[in-house]
Short mmCIF file of all heavy atoms in Angstrom, two decimals:
data_model
loop_
_atom_site.label_atom_id
_atom_site.label_comp_id
_atom_site.label_asym_id
_atom_site.label_seq_id
_atom_site.Cartn_x
_atom_site.Cartn_y
_atom_site.Cartn_z
N GLY A 1 -145.20 27.63 66.96
CA GLY A 1 -146.06 28.02 65.85
C GLY A 1 -147.29 28.80 66.25
O GLY A 1 -148.17 29.05 65.43
N LEU A 2 -147.35 29.21 67.52
CA LEU A 2 -148.50 29.95 68.02
C LEU A 2 -148.14 31.42 68.18
O LEU A 2 -147.00 31.77 68.52
CB LEU A 2 -148.95 29.38 69.36
CG LEU A 2 -149.39 27.91 69.35
CD1 LEU A 2 -149.67 27.44 70.77
CD2 LEU A 2 -150.62 27.71 68.48
N VAL A 3 -149.12 32.29 67.96
CA VAL A 3 -148.91 33.72 68.14
C VAL A 3 -149.21 34.06 69.59
O VAL A 3 -150.34 34.40 69.96
CB VAL A 3 -149.78 34.55 67.19
CG1 VAL A 3 -149.50 36.04 67.37
CG2 VAL A 3 -149.53 34.14 65.74
N GLN A 4 -148.18 33.92 70.43
CA GLN A 4 -148.32 34.12 71.87
C GLN A 4 -147.04 34.74 72.43
O GLN A 4 -145.94 34.39 72.00
CB GLN A 4 -148.57 32.79 72.59
CG GLN A 4 -149.89 32.12 72.25
CD GLN A 4 -150.00 30.74 72.87
OE1 GLN A 4 -149.01 30.15 73.30
NE2 GLN A 4 -151.21 30.22 72.93
N PRO A 5 -147.17 35.64 73.41
CA PRO A 5 -145.99 36.17 74.08
C PRO A 5 -145.44 35.17 75.09
O PRO A 5 -145.95 34.04 75.19
CB PRO A 5 -146.51 37.43 74.77
CG PRO A 5 -147.96 37.13 75.02
CD PRO A 5 -148.42 36.26 73.88
N ILE A 6 -144.44 35.56 75.84
CA ILE A 6 -143.83 34.67 76.82
C ILE A 6 -144.85 34.18 77.82
O ILE A 6 -144.95 32.98 78.11
CB ILE A 6 -142.64 35.37 77.52
CG1 ILE A 6 -141.48 35.50 76.54
CG2 ILE A 6 -142.21 34.62 78.77
CD1 ILE A 6 -140.30 36.28 77.06
N LEU A 7 -145.61 35.09 78.40
CA LEU A 7 -146.74 34.72 79.23
C LEU A 7 -147.91 34.52 78.27
O LEU A 7 -148.52 35.47 77.82
CB LEU A 7 -147.04 35.81 80.26
CG LEU A 7 -147.92 35.43 81.45
CD1 LEU A 7 -147.64 36.37 82.62
CD2 LEU A 7 -149.39 35.46 81.09
N PHE A 8 -148.21 33.26 77.94
CA PHE A 8 -148.97 32.98 76.73
C PHE A 8 -150.35 33.60 76.70
O PHE A 8 -150.84 34.00 75.64
CB PHE A 8 -149.05 31.46 76.47
CG PHE A 8 -150.05 30.72 77.30
CD1 PHE A 8 -151.32 30.50 76.84
CD2 PHE A 8 -149.70 30.20 78.55
CE1 PHE A 8 -152.25 29.79 77.59
CE2 PHE A 8 -150.62 29.51 79.31
CZ PHE A 8 -151.90 29.29 78.84
N LEU A 9 -151.00 33.75 77.86
CA LEU A 9 -152.31 34.39 77.85
C LEU A 9 -152.22 35.89 77.59
O LEU A 9 -153.24 36.56 77.41
CB LEU A 9 -153.03 34.13 79.17
CG LEU A 9 -153.70 32.76 79.27
CD1 LEU A 9 -154.29 32.55 80.66
CD2 LEU A 9 -154.79 32.61 78.23
N GLY A 10 -151.00 36.40 77.52
CA GLY A 10 -150.81 37.80 77.17
C GLY A 10 -151.26 38.13 75.76
O GLY A 10 -151.35 39.31 75.41
N TRP A 11 -151.55 37.10 74.93
CA TRP A 11 -152.06 37.42 73.59
C TRP A 11 -153.35 38.23 73.68
O TRP A 11 -153.63 39.08 72.83
CB TRP A 11 -152.28 36.15 72.77
CG TRP A 11 -153.41 35.27 73.19
CD1 TRP A 11 -153.37 34.21 74.05
CD2 TRP A 11 -154.78 35.35 72.75
NE1 TRP A 11 -154.61 33.63 74.18
CE2 TRP A 11 -155.49 34.30 73.39
CE3 TRP A 11 -155.46 36.19 71.88
CZ2 TRP A 11 -156.85 34.09 73.19
CZ3 TRP A 11 -156.82 35.98 71.67
CH2 TRP A 11 -157.50 34.93 72.32
N THR A 12 -154.14 37.99 74.73
CA THR A 12 -155.37 38.77 74.89
C THR A 12 -155.06 40.21 75.30
O THR A 12 -155.80 41.13 74.95
CB THR A 12 -156.29 38.13 75.93
OG1 THR A 12 -155.63 38.08 77.20
CG2 THR A 12 -156.66 36.72 75.53
N LEU A 13 -153.96 40.40 76.02
CA LEU A 13 -153.56 41.76 76.39
C LEU A 13 -153.10 42.54 75.17
O LEU A 13 -153.20 43.77 75.13
CB LEU A 13 -152.46 41.72 77.44
CG LEU A 13 -152.85 41.11 78.79
CD1 LEU A 13 -151.70 41.23 79.78
CD2 LEU A 13 -154.10 41.76 79.35
N ASN A 14 -152.58 41.84 74.17
CA ASN A 14 -152.25 42.52 72.91
C ASN A 14 -153.50 43.18 72.34
O ASN A 14 -153.47 44.32 71.86
CB ASN A 14 -151.68 41.53 71.90
CG ASN A 14 -150.31 41.02 72.29
OD1 ASN A 14 -149.66 41.57 73.17
ND2 ASN A 14 -149.86 39.96 71.63
N PHE A 15 -154.62 42.45 72.39
CA PHE A 15 -155.88 43.01 71.90
C PHE A 15 -156.36 44.14 72.80
O PHE A 15 -156.86 45.17 72.31
CB PHE A 15 -156.95 41.93 71.82
CG PHE A 15 -156.86 41.06 70.61
CD1 PHE A 15 -156.51 39.73 70.72
CD2 PHE A 15 -157.14 41.57 69.35
CE1 PHE A 15 -156.43 38.91 69.59
CE2 PHE A 15 -157.06 40.78 68.22
CZ PHE A 15 -156.70 39.44 68.34
N GLU A 16 -156.23 43.95 74.11
CA GLU A 16 -156.63 45.01 75.04
C GLU A 16 -155.86 46.29 74.75
O GLU A 16 -156.45 47.38 74.64
CB GLU A 16 -156.36 44.57 76.48
CG GLU A 16 -157.31 43.51 77.02
CD GLU A 16 -158.65 44.07 77.43
OE1 GLU A 16 -158.82 45.31 77.46
OE2 GLU A 16 -159.56 43.27 77.72
N MET A 17 -154.54 46.18 74.62
CA MET A 17 -153.73 47.37 74.38
C MET A 17 -154.05 48.00 73.03
O MET A 17 -154.03 49.23 72.88
CB MET A 17 -152.25 47.00 74.46
CG MET A 17 -151.77 46.72 75.87
SD MET A 17 -151.98 48.20 76.90
CE MET A 17 -151.23 47.66 78.43
N PHE A 18 -154.36 47.19 72.06
CA PHE A 18 -154.74 47.70 70.75
C PHE A 18 -156.03 48.49 70.85
O PHE A 18 -156.15 49.60 70.29
CB PHE A 18 -154.90 46.53 69.77
CG PHE A 18 -155.24 46.94 68.36
CD1 PHE A 18 -154.43 47.79 67.64
CD2 PHE A 18 -156.39 46.45 67.76
CE1 PHE A 18 -154.74 48.16 66.34
CE2 PHE A 18 -156.73 46.81 66.46
CZ PHE A 18 -155.90 47.66 65.75
N PHE A 19 -157.00 47.96 71.58
CA PHE A 19 -158.26 48.68 71.77
C PHE A 19 -158.04 49.97 72.56
O PHE A 19 -158.62 51.02 72.24
CB PHE A 19 -159.27 47.79 72.49
CG PHE A 19 -160.58 48.48 72.78
CD1 PHE A 19 -161.42 48.85 71.74
CD2 PHE A 19 -160.97 48.76 74.08
CE1 PHE A 19 -162.64 49.49 72.00
CE2 PHE A 19 -162.16 49.40 74.35
CZ PHE A 19 -163.00 49.77 73.31
N TYR A 20 -157.17 49.92 73.58
CA TYR A 20 -156.87 51.13 74.34
C TYR A 20 -156.28 52.20 73.43
O TYR A 20 -156.62 53.39 73.54
CB TYR A 20 -155.85 50.84 75.45
CG TYR A 20 -156.31 49.89 76.52
CD1 TYR A 20 -155.39 49.33 77.41
CD2 TYR A 20 -157.64 49.53 76.66
CE1 TYR A 20 -155.79 48.46 78.40
CE2 TYR A 20 -158.05 48.66 77.65
CZ TYR A 20 -157.12 48.12 78.52
OH TYR A 20 -157.51 47.25 79.49
N LEU A 21 -155.40 51.80 72.54
CA LEU A 21 -154.77 52.74 71.62
C LEU A 21 -155.81 53.37 70.70
O LEU A 21 -155.82 54.59 70.48
CB LEU A 21 -153.68 52.06 70.81
CG LEU A 21 -152.94 52.93 69.78
CD1 LEU A 21 -152.25 54.10 70.48
CD2 LEU A 21 -151.93 52.10 69.00
N LEU A 22 -156.69 52.54 70.14
CA LEU A 22 -157.75 53.07 69.29
C LEU A 22 -158.63 54.05 70.05
O LEU A 22 -158.98 55.13 69.53
CB LEU A 22 -158.62 51.92 68.74
CG LEU A 22 -157.96 50.95 67.76
CD1 LEU A 22 -158.95 49.85 67.38
CD2 LEU A 22 -157.46 51.67 66.52
N PHE A 23 -158.98 53.70 71.27
CA PHE A 23 -159.83 54.57 72.07
C PHE A 23 -159.11 55.87 72.39
O PHE A 23 -159.71 56.95 72.34
CB PHE A 23 -160.24 53.86 73.36
CG PHE A 23 -161.38 54.53 74.08
CD1 PHE A 23 -162.69 54.18 73.79
CD2 PHE A 23 -161.15 55.51 75.03
CE1 PHE A 23 -163.75 54.80 74.43
CE2 PHE A 23 -162.19 56.14 75.67
CZ PHE A 23 -163.50 55.78 75.38
N ALA A 24 -157.82 55.78 72.71
CA ALA A 24 -157.04 56.98 73.02
C ALA A 24 -156.99 57.92 71.82
O ALA A 24 -157.06 59.15 71.98
CB ALA A 24 -155.63 56.60 73.45
N LEU A 25 -156.88 57.37 70.62
CA LEU A 25 -156.83 58.19 69.42
C LEU A 25 -158.16 58.92 69.16
O LEU A 25 -158.19 59.97 68.52
CB LEU A 25 -156.47 57.33 68.21
CG LEU A 25 -155.05 56.75 68.19
CD1 LEU A 25 -154.87 55.79 67.02
CD2 LEU A 25 -154.02 57.87 68.12
N CYS A 26 -159.24 58.33 69.68
CA CYS A 26 -160.57 58.92 69.46
C CYS A 26 -161.06 59.75 70.64
O CYS A 26 -162.16 60.31 70.60
CB CYS A 26 -161.60 57.81 69.20
SG CYS A 26 -161.26 56.79 67.76
N ILE A 27 -160.26 59.87 71.68
CA ILE A 27 -160.77 60.33 72.97
C ILE A 27 -161.25 61.78 72.94
O ILE A 27 -162.12 62.17 73.72
CB ILE A 27 -159.70 60.12 74.07
CG1 ILE A 27 -160.38 59.97 75.43
CG2 ILE A 27 -158.67 61.25 74.09
CD1 ILE A 27 -159.51 59.37 76.50
N ARG A 28 -160.74 62.61 72.05
CA ARG A 28 -161.14 64.00 72.00
C ARG A 28 -162.28 64.26 71.00
O ARG A 28 -162.74 65.40 70.86
CB ARG A 28 -159.95 64.90 71.65
CG ARG A 28 -158.86 64.89 72.73
CD ARG A 28 -157.77 65.90 72.42
NE ARG A 28 -158.29 67.27 72.46
CZ ARG A 28 -158.38 68.01 73.57
NH1 ARG A 28 -158.01 67.49 74.73
NH2 ARG A 28 -158.85 69.23 73.52
N LEU A 29 -162.72 63.20 70.35
CA LEU A 29 -163.82 63.35 69.39
C LEU A 29 -165.16 63.45 70.12
O LEU A 29 -165.34 62.88 71.20
CB LEU A 29 -163.82 62.18 68.41
CG LEU A 29 -162.55 62.00 67.57
CD1 LEU A 29 -162.69 60.79 66.67
CD2 LEU A 29 -162.26 63.26 66.75
N HIS A 30 -166.09 64.13 69.50
CA HIS A 30 -167.38 64.38 70.15
C HIS A 30 -168.15 63.09 70.37
O HIS A 30 -168.73 62.88 71.44
CB HIS A 30 -168.21 65.35 69.30
CG HIS A 30 -169.51 65.74 69.92
ND1 HIS A 30 -169.60 66.30 71.19
CD2 HIS A 30 -170.79 65.62 69.46
CE1 HIS A 30 -170.87 66.51 71.48
NE2 HIS A 30 -171.61 66.13 70.45
N HIS A 31 -168.18 62.22 69.39
CA HIS A 31 -168.87 60.93 69.52
C HIS A 31 -167.84 59.80 69.50
O HIS A 31 -167.88 58.91 68.66
CB HIS A 31 -169.87 60.76 68.38
CG HIS A 31 -170.97 61.77 68.40
ND1 HIS A 31 -171.95 61.78 69.38
CD2 HIS A 31 -171.26 62.81 67.57
CE1 HIS A 31 -172.79 62.78 69.14
NE2 HIS A 31 -172.39 63.42 68.05
N ARG A 32 -166.92 59.83 70.44
CA ARG A 32 -165.78 58.91 70.39
C ARG A 32 -166.18 57.45 70.50
O ARG A 32 -165.56 56.60 69.85
CB ARG A 32 -164.79 59.25 71.50
CG ARG A 32 -165.32 59.13 72.93
CD ARG A 32 -164.35 59.75 73.89
NE ARG A 32 -164.75 59.58 75.29
CZ ARG A 32 -164.18 60.24 76.30
NH1 ARG A 32 -163.22 61.10 76.07
NH2 ARG A 32 -164.58 60.03 77.53
N GLU A 33 -167.21 57.15 71.29
CA GLU A 33 -167.62 55.76 71.42
C GLU A 33 -168.15 55.21 70.09
O GLU A 33 -167.87 54.06 69.74
CB GLU A 33 -168.69 55.60 72.51
CG GLU A 33 -168.20 55.90 73.91
CD GLU A 33 -168.31 57.37 74.27
OE1 GLU A 33 -168.86 58.14 73.44
OE2 GLU A 33 -167.86 57.75 75.37
N ILE A 34 -168.92 56.02 69.38
CA ILE A 34 -169.45 55.58 68.09
C ILE A 34 -168.31 55.43 67.08
O ILE A 34 -168.25 54.46 66.33
CB ILE A 34 -170.50 56.58 67.58
CG1 ILE A 34 -171.72 56.59 68.52
CG2 ILE A 34 -170.92 56.23 66.16
CD1 ILE A 34 -172.76 57.61 68.16
N VAL A 35 -167.38 56.39 67.10
CA VAL A 35 -166.26 56.34 66.15
C VAL A 35 -165.41 55.11 66.38
O VAL A 35 -165.05 54.39 65.44
CB VAL A 35 -165.41 57.62 66.25
CG1 VAL A 35 -164.16 57.50 65.37
CG2 VAL A 35 -166.22 58.84 65.85
N VAL A 36 -165.06 54.84 67.64
CA VAL A 36 -164.19 53.69 67.91
C VAL A 36 -164.91 52.38 67.58
O VAL A 36 -164.29 51.42 67.12
CB VAL A 36 -163.70 53.70 69.38
CG1 VAL A 36 -164.78 53.22 70.35
CG2 VAL A 36 -162.44 52.85 69.54
N THR A 37 -166.23 52.34 67.75
CA THR A 37 -167.00 51.16 67.37
C THR A 37 -166.93 50.93 65.87
O THR A 37 -166.72 49.79 65.41
CB THR A 37 -168.47 51.30 67.81
OG1 THR A 37 -168.52 51.41 69.24
CG2 THR A 37 -169.29 50.10 67.37
N LEU A 38 -167.09 51.99 65.10
CA LEU A 38 -167.02 51.87 63.64
C LEU A 38 -165.62 51.44 63.19
O LEU A 38 -165.48 50.64 62.26
CB LEU A 38 -167.40 53.20 63.00
CG LEU A 38 -168.87 53.64 63.17
CD1 LEU A 38 -169.07 55.03 62.59
CD2 LEU A 38 -169.81 52.63 62.53
N ILE A 39 -164.59 51.95 63.87
CA ILE A 39 -163.22 51.56 63.52
C ILE A 39 -163.00 50.08 63.80
O ILE A 39 -162.43 49.35 62.97
CB ILE A 39 -162.20 52.42 64.30
CG1 ILE A 39 -162.25 53.87 63.82
CG2 ILE A 39 -160.80 51.84 64.15
CD1 ILE A 39 -161.39 54.81 64.64
N VAL A 40 -163.45 49.62 64.95
CA VAL A 40 -163.30 48.20 65.31
C VAL A 40 -164.01 47.32 64.29
O VAL A 40 -163.47 46.30 63.84
CB VAL A 40 -163.82 47.95 66.73
CG1 VAL A 40 -164.00 46.46 66.99
CG2 VAL A 40 -162.87 48.55 67.77
N MET A 41 -165.22 47.70 63.93
CA MET A 41 -165.97 46.91 62.96
C MET A 41 -165.29 46.91 61.59
O MET A 41 -165.26 45.88 60.90
CB MET A 41 -167.40 47.44 62.85
CG MET A 41 -168.25 47.17 64.07
SD MET A 41 -169.94 47.76 63.89
CE MET A 41 -170.73 47.01 65.32
N ALA A 42 -164.74 48.05 61.20
CA ALA A 42 -164.05 48.14 59.92
C ALA A 42 -162.80 47.25 59.91
O ALA A 42 -162.51 46.57 58.91
CB ALA A 42 -163.67 49.59 59.63
N ILE A 43 -162.07 47.25 61.01
CA ILE A 43 -160.87 46.41 61.11
C ILE A 43 -161.24 44.93 61.03
O ILE A 43 -160.59 44.14 60.33
CB ILE A 43 -160.11 46.71 62.41
CG1 ILE A 43 -159.50 48.11 62.35
CG2 ILE A 43 -159.01 45.67 62.65
CD1 ILE A 43 -158.90 48.58 63.66
N ALA A 44 -162.31 44.55 61.74
CA ALA A 44 -162.76 43.16 61.69
C ALA A 44 -163.21 42.78 60.28
O ALA A 44 -162.96 41.65 59.82
CB ALA A 44 -163.88 42.94 62.69
N ALA A 45 -163.87 43.70 59.59
CA ALA A 45 -164.31 43.44 58.21
C ALA A 45 -163.12 43.25 57.29
O ALA A 45 -163.11 42.35 56.43
CB ALA A 45 -165.20 44.58 57.73
N LEU A 46 -162.09 44.07 57.46
CA LEU A 46 -160.88 43.91 56.66
C LEU A 46 -160.24 42.55 56.89
O LEU A 46 -159.81 41.88 55.95
CB LEU A 46 -159.87 45.02 57.00
CG LEU A 46 -160.12 46.40 56.41
CD1 LEU A 46 -159.11 47.41 56.96
CD2 LEU A 46 -160.04 46.35 54.88
N GLY A 47 -160.18 42.16 58.16
CA GLY A 47 -159.59 40.87 58.48
C GLY A 47 -160.38 39.70 57.91
O GLY A 47 -159.82 38.64 57.62
#
């Protein structure tokens, strides 16, 4: 009943990879760090 991969601490790597993906999508933007921060905050607010 837990949301965990086979190597159970890998659930944190799911978040790492998700953040990497968001950052990669913003990487060519002029203020990419600010943009990715706003996206992360918006996602957390939705949740």
Side-chain angles (χ1 to χ4, degrees):
L2 300 174
V3 182
Q4 294 173 344
I6 288 175
L7 196 156
F8 78 93
L9 280 175
W11 70 268
T12 61
L13 296 184
N14 291 346
F15 280 112
E16 287 282 352
M17 288 299 184
F18 182 58
F19 178 66
Y20 297 166
L21 179 60
L22 293 178
F23 195 89
L25 292 173
C26 300
I27 206 163
R28 295 186 65 85
L29 300 179
H30 183 56
H31 296 291
R32 62 192 184 192
E33 294 87 5
I34 295 176
V35 174
V36 78
T37 298
L38 293 175
I39 292 173
V40 166
M41 290 182 169
I43 292 172
L46 282 175

